[in-house]
Amino acid sequence: MTIQEYALNSLKLRTGIDFILIDEAVSQSDNGDLCRIIYSGGKLAVFCRDEHRKPLLGLLRSVNVKEAIKSPELYVEVLNAIGLDPAEYPFEPAYNAGGKVYKCCHTVEYVCDAKNFRLIPDYRKITVIYPGEPDYLPIDGFSEIYAVYEGGKMASNSYYRPNIGEFSGTNAMNVWTHKSFHRRGYGITAAAAATRSIVNKNELALWVSYADNAASRRIAEALGYEFIGGELRIKE
């Protein structure tokens, strides 16, 4: 599966719409969504109420959607366009440790293959942890863990979940770094090892991040992940 094929198949799965012949689709919002904007592989889908359709599409047609969907401030522009107060629709931050419920969720997605992958210098030791070994996390269905230790503690790790069915050959990436070790390069080291494991099998690595998580996005871009789209969802 190529990156473009994945992008379009993913969009079709999330929307139920076939995008072979159309560039834009608009549908009535459901599931309690005020609006939902999905961009993937150069295609755009918009779900909203009928009364919001004209101003929302007016906004989206006035911008470069591929660039606009990357901005965590897009939700403010969307709410202003449809005449609602952004202060009443709190935006979910990347680090929602308290589990608070927010009304706006905005994610961006990257994909990497063997052609685009950029391996960083191996200046830190990677420890590979296999299922059943000490320090392996309770994450059934995921790969081995690629970890970086510092002072006997796991500073960062990365692992992935192989997808099945029509998305076989793609793998959902996960990266974690302990807050005590942020900004030291541990995350990119672990993520590089996990990504290399995927692309060496000629498969795709999938990276999803909150739009406002600049650190996560910098890691993906540094490793050669290609930006393919994003999704903004605003609930009632």
Side-chain angles (χ1 to χ4, degrees), residues 28-90:
Q28 180 74 15
S29 179
D30 56 8
N31 297 324
D33 290 337
L34 184 66
C35 74
R36 186 181 181 195
I37 301 168
I38 310 173
Y39 175 85
S40 186
K43 305 295 184 179
L44 174 66
V46 179
F47 298 83
C48 65
R49 291 178 174 179
D50 286 338
E51 62 266 31
H52 295 150
R53 179 177 303 192
K54 185 175 180 179
L56 182 54
L57 288 184
L59 168 66
L60 295 174
R61 286 169 178 155
S62 71
V63 300
N64 180 335
V65 175
K66 183 177 181 179
E67 295 303 316
I69 199 71
K70 298 177 183 179
S71 172
E73 296 301 317
L74 178 62
Y75 87 102
V76 173
E77 298 179 37
V78 168
L79 289 168
N80 284 334
I82 61 180
L84 297 175
D85 184 359
E88 297 181 2
Y89 295 84

Side-chain angles (χ1 to χ4, degrees), residues 3 6 69-70 107-113 171-173 204-211 213-214 216-230:
I3 289 178
Y6 165 75
I69 199 71
K70 298 177 183 179
T107 57
V108 290
E109 185 171 7
Y110 297 81
V111 181
C112 190
D113 59 11
N171 303 266
M173 283 282 295
L204 298 180
L206 315 179
W207 188 293
V208 179
S209 171
Y210 282 95
N213 192 341
S216 173
R217 296 177 62 180
R218 280 195 299 269
I219 291 175
E221 291 165 3
L223 293 177
Y225 280 78
E226 178 181 333
F227 174 80
I228 63 164

Side-chain angles (χ1 to χ4, degrees), residues 11-236:
L11 185 60
K12 183 177 179 181
L13 176 68
R14 283 182 281 175
T15 64
I17 302 171
D18 193 327
F19 288 81
I20 295 176
L21 298 177
I22 58 176
D23 293 325
E24 181 181 275
V26 183
S27 178
Q28 180 74 15
S29 179
D30 56 8
N31 297 324
D33 290 337
L34 184 66
C35 74
R36 186 181 181 195
I37 301 168
I38 310 173
Y39 175 85
S40 186
K43 305 295 184 179
L44 174 66
V46 179
F47 298 83
C48 65
R49 291 178 174 179
D50 286 338
E51 62 266 31
H52 295 150
R53 179 177 303 192
K54 185 175 180 179
L56 182 54
L57 288 184
L59 168 66
L60 295 174
R61 286 169 178 155
S62 71
V63 300
N64 180 335
V65 175
K66 183 177 181 179
E67 295 303 316
I69 199 71
K70 298 177 183 179
S71 172
E73 296 301 317
L74 178 62
Y75 87 102
V76 173
E77 298 179 37
V78 168
L79 289 168
N80 284 334
I82 61 180
L84 297 175
D85 184 359
E88 297 181 2
Y89 295 84
F91 181 83
E92 182 175 2
Y95 301 102
N96 180 15
K100 182 178 178 181
V101 177
Y102 294 87
K103 290 191 175 182
C104 297
C105 181
H106 186 181
T107 57
V108 290
E109 185 171 7
Y110 297 81
V111 181
C112 190
D113 59 11
K115 178 182 177 181
N116 294 319
F117 177 57
R118 292 196 294 267
L119 182 63
I120 65 168
D122 291 326
Y123 60 96
R124 289 189 173 90
K125 180 182 178 181
I126 288 289
T127 299
V128 183
I129 308 170
Y130 296 94
E133 294 183 346
D135 280 353
Y136 188 82
L137 305 174
I139 47 174
D140 291 344
F142 285 77
S143 72
E144 61 276 5
I145 296 173
Y146 298 83
V148 178
Y149 284 83
E150 180 67 39
K153 297 181 179 180
M154 186 184 292
S156 185
N157 66 59
S158 183
Y159 50 93
Y160 53 90
R161 183 192 70 242
N163 292 318
I164 59 176
E166 62 181 302
F167 291 100
S168 178
T170 69
N171 303 266
M173 283 282 295
N174 287 266
V175 184
W176 169 87
T177 301
H178 191 281
K179 61 182 180 180
S180 300
F181 298 100
H182 283 182
R183 300 183 180 275
R184 299 189 190 180
Y186 294 93
I188 192 171
T189 301
T195 303
R196 178 169 57 181
S197 173
I198 294 170
V199 301
N200 280 351
K201 296 182 287 187
N202 201 31
E203 296 185 350
L204 298 180
L206 315 179
W207 188 293
V208 179
S209 171
Y210 282 95
D212 68 332
N213 192 341
S216 173
R217 296 177 62 180
R218 280 195 299 269
I219 291 175
E221 291 165 3
L223 293 177
Y225 280 78
E226 178 181 333
F227 174 80
I228 63 164
E231 177 172 347
L232 172 63
R233 198 165 192 167
I234 305 177
K235 294 187 174 294
E236 293 282 8

